[in-house]
Amino acid sequence: MGTTTYAKADGLPKQYKQHQRSFLGLMLVLSCAFLITLLPDVNLTLFRLLNGIAAELPNWPLLLITDLGNGVTLGVITLCFLIKRPEIILRVIIASVLSLLLVPLLKQYFDMPRPAAVLETLNIIGETRMSHSFPSGHTASAFLFAGTLWFAYQSHTIKVFAITFGAIVGISRIIVGAHWPQDIMLGAIVGLLCAYTAAYCPPTQLQRVNNALMLMFLWLVLVICELEKSFDKDIIWQVLLLRWGLLFTAATLFLRQYNIKQLLIQRFASKTQ
């Protein structure tokens, strides 16, 4: 995914001098777009335009794309990233906690109806929901991940990829009929702001065995969450295959990165000393 920069380039304050200007420019663009979508006619027109795409495409690819913003799916993708960059685990945890607090609070406060509760005709793919539309949680999660990549790497290619990933997930939420354009724009802003705030946390260099234990714990939590969701009859097999395939990939990357036997020996040796 390009050249990575650790240590000095990933610390403060140099990191912010290198990233802040372009990030603020991105936030300005998103804020202007958000203000435009607050106009009812613009919001409805954009929804109709994008939601109409659903009638032209098969359901399962759209469900796969929109599931990339799901907590478990995106959590495993993030875990794969953390296996290669364990020094920013704490940064990701802080950003995730902020998002988990902000998004539900905003949803409850505004309590805005979803498109299915307002429009008589629209394309709905997947679960039909009526309330708590504003902002989009899937989009917030996708842009939180995008923001994390933005501040973790110097490569412009990775930055473009990250924002494109978030945008695709956000647009998919409109196509499947789950959210309005204004929900997507605010979700993107919230996700990026959470990543921006967490980026103030400098990289934390833990012992290799501690990194491994934290990653193993996160993987087990995601497996438990997915085991519970896998019994949902509404989930199509393609989505289940995606999630379990990602979990298997994360486990494979972890085993390649860490020698479990050696780590356990080191762990027990440190306790006996």
Side-chain angles (χ1 to χ4, degrees):
M1 289 178 63
T3 303
T4 61
T5 305
Y6 293 9
K8 293 182 180 179
D10 214 13
L12 296 174
K14 180 179 290 187
Q15 179 204 38
Y16 268 46
K17 292 180 180 180
Q18 295 171 340
H19 294 284
Q20 195 172 39
R21 182 177 298 179
S22 57
F23 180 81
L24 291 178
L26 173 64
M27 290 298 295
L28 178 61
V29 172
L30 289 175
S31 298
C32 292
F34 171 60
L35 292 175
I36 293 173
T37 59
L38 289 178
L39 299 172
D41 290 342
V42 174
N43 190 47
L44 179 59
T45 300
L46 284 175
F47 176 83
R48 292 290 192 192
L49 179 65
L50 293 171
N51 184 244
I53 297 174
E56 308 297 329
L57 297 174
N59 287 357
W60 70 266
L62 295 174
L63 289 172
L64 281 179
I65 293 172
T66 203
D67 193 68
L68 293 174
N70 176 272
V72 173
T73 307
L74 190 55
V76 183
I77 294 173
T78 305
L79 182 61
C80 293
F81 163 67
L82 289 177
I83 290 171
K84 296 296 184 180
R85 298 292 304 273
E87 73 277 6
I88 61 172
I89 289 178
L90 183 59
R91 184 184 297 180
V92 171
I93 291 175
I94 292 173
S96 300
V97 170
L98 287 174
S99 180
L100 287 172
L101 292 173
L102 280 175
V103 173
L105 284 174
L106 291 170
K107 283 180 176 288
Q108 292 289 339
Y109 178 78
F110 290 104
D111 193 21
M112 299 205 35
R114 297 198 185 230
V118 176
L119 303 177
E120 294 184 0
T121 58
L122 74 160
N123 297 306
I124 298 178
I125 299 176
E127 184 180 357
T128 301
R129 296 183 179 180
M130 298 294 182
S131 60
H132 299 145
S133 183
F134 186 75
S136 165
H138 279 64
T139 308
S141 297
F143 273 89
L144 186 154
F145 176 69
T148 300
L149 292 181
W150 185 286
F151 286 106
Y153 291 95
Q154 303 295 323
S155 169
H156 293 292
T157 302
I158 293 179
K159 294 180 190 295
V160 172
F161 164 80
I163 299 304
T164 302
F165 171 83
I168 290 174
V169 172
I171 291 172
S172 74
R173 301 302 289 161
I174 303 173
I175 296 175
V176 301
H179 283 286
W180 303 100
Q182 63 186 19
D183 305 339
I184 305 308
M185 298 311 304
L186 183 60
I189 291 171
V190 169
L192 288 175
L193 285 176
C194 290
Y196 177 80
T197 303
Y200 276 103
C201 174
T204 306
Q205 300 292 345
L206 300 176
Q207 291 184 352
R208 185 174 175 83
V209 63
N210 292 330
N211 285 332
L213 290 173
M214 290 182 68
L215 292 169
M216 286 176 62
F217 174 76
L218 292 174
W219 185 84
L220 287 173
V221 169
L222 290 168
V223 168
I224 293 171
C225 291
E226 184 52 36
L227 282 172
E228 181 182 358
K229 292 184 177 182
S230 291
F231 291 102
D232 188 345
K233 296 180 180 179
D234 293 329
I235 299 180
I236 63 173
W237 68 267
Q238 290 94 336
V239 169
L240 288 176
L241 183 62
L242 170 66
R243 293 179 183 177
W244 285 104
L246 287 171
L247 284 166
F248 176 79
T249 301
T252 302
L253 290 174
F254 177 82
L255 292 174
R256 287 184 177 181
Q257 190 78 9
Y258 297 94
N259 185 321
I260 301 299
K261 182 179 179 180
Q262 183 180 1
L263 289 173
L264 290 175
I265 293 174
Q266 291 176 356
R267 186 67 174 179
F268 286 117
S270 63
K271 286 185 176 182
T272 57
Q273 289 179 354

